[in-house]
Amino acid sequence: MSRLGSLGARLYRGEVGYDFVGKRMIWYGISILITITAIVGLGVRGLNMGIEFSGGAVFTTPKASVSSSQAEEAAEKVSGHTAHVQELGTGGLRIQIGDVDPQKADQIKADLSEDLNIPANDINADLVGPSWGEQIANKAWTGLGIFMALVVIYLAIAFEWRMALAALVALIHDLTITVGIYALVGFEVSVGTVIGLLTILGYSLYDTVVVFDGLKEASKGITKQTRFTYSEIANRSLNGTLVRSINTTVVALLPVAGLLFIGGGVLGAGMLNDISLSLFVGLAAGAYSSIFIATPLVADLKEREPQMKALAKRVRAKRAAAAAKGAGEESEGAPQDAVPGEGAYDQDDDEAAAAGVVGQRAQPASRNRRGRPSGKRR
């Protein structure tokens, strides 16, 4: 078994672990700071909306002898508007000009042909009206709202409303971070970006649902034992699925990174780059939220229940009694070679066995059967 597999097995059995839930205030603070930064960036810089939403024209050229900066300068000169130029993998150029009057598109195309020394027939022009982009945006918001509602309803039925609420918060967290990064870095928002944003919602939910399913099984009959609080069981479940979550995220990120860094460099910028970029950012944010946000938030909500408060009180009382008993035995000079677990069991021994933590039982003394009558006559 590999070292990572061995670590995963030890995490699953509870032999090792990290207190994610116990340090949840640290993760909350980090997430709030990142979210505020994303919101400020969104409010100050705004989103760089593509022509699909703002309207404009896209001119695609074959392999050109001019650089992207020279083409951008020429496009702004002939159109009078801001232009954005991207180099394609074939050596051609993709020139985007916003707020272009469709009637002037032919004239701009002719001027670009002259300035770039490219035949006009070899330049492909695509015009996009702002009304089409507005329709796409409205449909995207509608799809997002329907998706969120269905997710909350399903998780509330399959698990409980607290887990549904935590998953919804994690989704909003992931979307906010992804959109904020787009605003801060200045990435262009296109139709491919919207597709990528809608796609990452499913990936973000995957790890969260896996952890919630394990937590649901581990917390059955939790009030009948006094060994662990709900937060401790939630942390054990999270550690048990930690390696699986990391492996799943890495495996999902590798092909997306290939599309983003290799495919974008070879095939050029476009729809492929827009989708892979939003997927890459969203997958990383989703893995973070499933570990550091969703499960600790569920533990916070559950610990507010009267039953869980009473359970935590019983657990603390039992541990305090055990600590006092251990201190008393040590002061009385207990033998150093005593074997843990020997002697009589208390009323929670069956709960300890159910938790997989069982002490070494005392074996009955062997009876000397020598000299006993066998019942047979000689």
Side-chain angles (χ1 to χ4, degrees), residues 215-228:
L215 178 55
K216 180 182 177 181
E217 293 295 326
S219 60
K220 287 183 179 179
I222 184 176
T223 57
K224 298 179 181 178
Q225 54 85 44
T226 55
R227 290 183 58 81
F228 304 108

Side-chain angles (χ1 to χ4, degrees), residues 8-247:
R10 296 179 66 193
L11 285 169
Y12 181 79
R13 293 192 297 266
E15 297 174 2
V16 295
Y18 184 80
D19 193 7
F20 292 101
V21 178
K23 298 181 179 179
R24 53 186 175 270
M25 299 309 298
I26 298 177
W27 319 132
Y28 291 165
I30 295 174
S31 297
I32 291 174
L33 181 61
I34 295 175
T35 303
I36 291 176
T37 304
I39 293 175
V40 170
L42 185 61
V44 174
R45 293 179 58 90
L47 291 174
N48 180 21
M49 306 301 293
I51 63 170
E52 294 89 348
F53 300 99
S54 60
V58 178
F59 300 94
T60 305
T61 71
K63 188 175 182 179
S65 59
V66 297
S67 63
S68 59
S69 59
Q70 292 174 334
E72 183 174 332
E73 183 179 354
E76 292 179 351
K77 177 182 178 182
V78 299
S79 65
H81 299 282
T82 302
H84 183 63
V85 180
Q86 296 172 323
E87 295 184 3
L88 303 178
T90 57
L93 300 174
R94 185 171 183 260
I95 305 172
Q96 301 181 65
I97 305 175
D99 300 327
V100 173
D101 188 350
Q103 297 178 354
K104 297 181 179 180
D106 292 337
Q107 182 61 41
I108 294 175
K109 179 179 178 180
D111 293 340
L112 284 175
S113 172
E114 183 178 352
D115 291 346
L116 302 180
N117 195 22
I118 298 175
N121 294 333
D122 294 339
I123 299 177
N124 184 29
D126 295 322
L127 302 178
V128 179
S131 59
W132 185 82
E134 184 178 355
Q135 293 177 4
I136 294 295
N138 292 334
K139 290 180 180 180
W141 282 113
T142 302
L144 179 62
I146 294 175
F147 178 84
M148 291 288 192
L150 292 177
V151 165
V152 171
I153 293 173
Y154 171 76
L155 292 180
I157 296 174
F159 299 100
E160 59 172 302
W161 68 267
R162 295 170 187 82
M163 292 184 177
L165 178 60
L168 180 61
V169 171
L171 285 177
I172 296 175
H173 169 272
D174 299 342
L175 287 176
T176 303
I177 290 179
T178 305
V179 174
I181 290 177
Y182 265 79
L184 290 172
V185 181
F187 294 144
E188 183 184 22
V189 179
S190 64
V191 176
T193 304
V194 176
I195 296 173
L197 288 175
L198 295 176
T199 305
I200 65 174
L201 298 178
Y203 282 105
S204 177
L205 280 174
Y206 177 79
D207 286 339
T208 303
V209 170
V210 169
V211 176
F212 284 176
D213 186 64
L215 178 55
K216 180 182 177 181
E217 293 295 326
S219 60
K220 287 183 179 179
I222 184 176
T223 57
K224 298 179 181 178
Q225 54 85 44
T226 55
R227 290 183 58 81
F228 304 108
T229 64
Y230 187 89
S231 294
E232 292 169 345
I233 290 181
N235 193 72
R236 290 167 63 91
S237 299
L238 183 56
N239 278 276
T241 58
L242 180 62
V243 174
R244 179 191 298 181
S245 299
I246 294 175
N247 289 338

